[in-house]
Each structure stands twice: as C-alpha cells, then as structure tokens.
Amino acid sequence: MDLNTVTEIRDARHPAPWRPGDAWLGGGTYLFSEPQPHLRRLVDLSRTGWTPVHRHPDGALEIAATCTIATLSRYAKTLPDPAAPLFEQCCRAFLASFKIWNMATVGGNLCNALPAGPMTSLTAALDGECLLLAQDGTRRRRPVTGFVTGAGRKDLAEGELLRSVTLPARSLACRTAFRQASLYGLGRSGVLVIGALDPLDGSLAVTVTASTVRPVRLWFPLPPTAAALRAAIGSAVADDEWFDDIHGLPAWRRHMTFRYAEEIRRELGEAAR
C-alpha cells in the first residue's frame, strides 16, 4: 500500500532530530499493510549494517532488530544447541507469504506487540532481553516479558529504538517443547505454549503467548504437579487478559492453554526424570 502522507525517507545512519510523524522503517511489512495517515517521514534502518545474528563469547545469542525471519531460520539450522528446533517452529508459526518471510524483521514483530507474534513467543520463552536506544543515546534493557505489555502495547518511548534481543546461553541449552493451536489450517496462532527444561538444575519455564494479551512466563524450580501448574497459570493471567478476537474466544484459548501446558509438563517432566 502506498503511504501518500510520507514526504521523506531518511537514512538512519545519519542522525537527525526526531519529530512528530516519524517512524522507524525496518522490513515495512506492517507499515505498508494499512493506511498510516499520521506518518510524514520514515527513518530507514535497512542500511545500518547490523550483524543479523551474533554469538557472544559467553554463548549468548544477540539477534538484531533488523534480522529477517528468513535469515533467522537459516541461521538456526546451524545452531548446535538443544533449543535450536524452537527457532524454526516459531518462524513457521508466522501467517505469512514467502515475500513477507524474507522482509519481516524480528524487531518489527516484537514492536507490533501482537499476541500472536511468534518472535515474541520465541524470545520470551528463551528469557530474552531487549536493548533499547533513546534519541539522546541512552541505553536501557528490558526483558521481553516486560517489553510487550499488552495487545499492541510495548514499553517503547517516542523515538526510542529496539536495537536487538539477546538470548542467554543457558536458555539455549534447554530442552524445549512447543504447542500451537489455530482455528483453521495455517491460520494465525490462537494459542502458543512453550516449555523450556534447564538441564543444569532441572527447572522448568512455561511461556504462554497468543492466547493472552501479553507474554506470560512462569518459572518452576522443579517440574510442578498438574494442579500447581494450572493454579500458577490461573493466578498469572487475569480474566480480562485472555485475548478475544476473530481468531478465538477467550474461553477456548484458556482451555487450550491449560491443555497444552499440561502436555508440555508431562513431556518435559518425563525427560527430567
């Protein structure tokens, strides 16, 4: 879709004062998908030259906001870590054509803050941390579970930029389990639950996305009982935090979340034993 109110595209490599009507341009798959009458200038990140995925000496994985879904998928195939299969599972959870897959970015998916955003699911489940850059150069870090605060809401100030997401080495060493549900084949996720079992201490993290308005990550020092897991989810998700749209009613999303969480508890609990 043409954005006929945009009068300028600025290269992000050349800083200039942020002004009303500005927006960051990554892959553009959301910006150009619907009218944006409030926009006047796009700040293009495509030439920043950020390394899409970088492995730190301590084993942590830093994913640039400009990394495309296709690039992340290809990179994940080379990962030797136990959590590597989860990357492809989440990349494939996109409701997207090959064109979108090759243009959509990890940062864009996170900043859209849609409940069904699979990059939110992936990075929240692996205890990811966002690096945010303000216009004055100030840096701050937020866990993904605190960055996405609701449906379409994120902890991002005016002009602030999501630079990257870092996944700790310990999370990459986890054995994972993945469950996803949609109301129709190849449809948008209505429920997505991920479990991550830590091989070092036997702890279990269960992350709920798509069915809730924000990512919910629950950590247990040991795999819990079925009753304890159900109680923890019920306590963590308020009644009005079960997402409600055309892709699924709250009651269905809640039911499937409990069902999948229990399946994951059994699968990874048996692995722990």
Side-chain angles (χ1 to χ4, degrees), residues 2-273:
D2 291 337
L3 301 181
N4 55 22
T5 60
V6 172
T7 60
E8 181 184 353
I9 297 180
R10 180 171 67 80
D11 190 331
R13 295 174 299 175
H14 308 301
W18 190 265
R19 64 194 191 195
D22 281 359
W24 299 108
L25 172 62
T29 56
Y30 165 71
L31 280 180
F32 290 95
S33 70
E34 59 183 53
Q36 311 284 349
H38 62 291
L39 296 185
R40 299 295 180 268
R41 181 172 67 168
L42 301 180
V43 185
D44 185 10
L45 297 167
S46 65
R47 299 179 184 178
T48 54
W50 296 338
T51 301
V53 190
H54 173 63
R55 195 75 187 248
H56 290 278
D58 65 358
L61 199 68
E62 184 175 7
I63 306 170
T66 50
C67 176
T68 66
I69 307 309
T71 298
L72 183 62
S73 172
R74 288 193 297 269
Y75 182 89
K77 290 179 173 63
T78 70
L79 281 176
D81 307 87
L86 182 63
F87 286 76
E88 186 68 8
Q89 288 170 322
C90 289
C91 287
R92 293 292 171 184
F94 262 96
L95 177 60
S97 68
F98 76 93
K99 295 179 182 179
I100 299 296
W101 227 54
N102 282 276
M103 290 300 296
T105 62
V106 172
N109 193 244
L110 278 161
C111 290
N112 278 341
L114 299 177
M119 294 298 99
T120 300
S121 307
L122 170 67
T123 54
L126 295 181
D127 201 19
E129 183 180 66
C130 300
L131 173 60
L132 308 175
L133 306 181
Q135 287 293 302
D136 62 2
T138 302
R139 296 184 171 214
R140 65 185 181 104
R141 295 183 182 273
R142 290 285 287 153
V144 172
T145 51
F147 177 70
V148 178
T149 59
R153 301 201 311 269
K154 63 273 186 183
D155 181 12
L156 200 62
E158 182 70 19
E160 199 170 27
L161 171 67
L162 171 61
R163 169 62 178 84
S164 63
V165 184
T166 299
L167 309 178
R170 186 158 179 173
S171 294
L172 296 171
C174 289
R175 175 171 178 172
T176 61
F178 175 95
R179 298 291 190 281
Q180 177 196 21
S182 174
L183 288 178
Y184 50 94
L186 301 179
R188 177 178 292 182
S189 299
V191 182
L192 204 158
V193 185
I194 296 170
L197 180 68
D198 191 321
L200 295 181
D201 61 9
S203 62
L204 176 66
V206 176
T207 303
V208 178
T209 54
S211 58
T212 51
V213 296
R214 59 180 176 85
V216 176
R217 188 175 190 268
L218 304 171
W219 181 85
F220 304 91
L222 291 173
T225 63
L229 176 59
R230 189 177 184 88
I233 296 173
S235 177
V237 184
D239 289 342
D240 62 354
E241 290 186 314
W242 296 103
F243 194 46
D244 184 7
D245 72 351
I246 194 172
H247 299 285
L249 295 173
W252 173 75
R253 294 178 192 263
R254 183 176 185 272
H255 169 76
M256 293 302 295
T257 296
F258 284 133
R259 173 180 169 178
Y260 284 160
E262 173 58 16
E263 288 182 7
I264 285 173
R265 183 193 73 87
R266 292 182 181 182
E267 177 181 333
L268 294 181
E270 290 176 1
R273 290 192 292 271

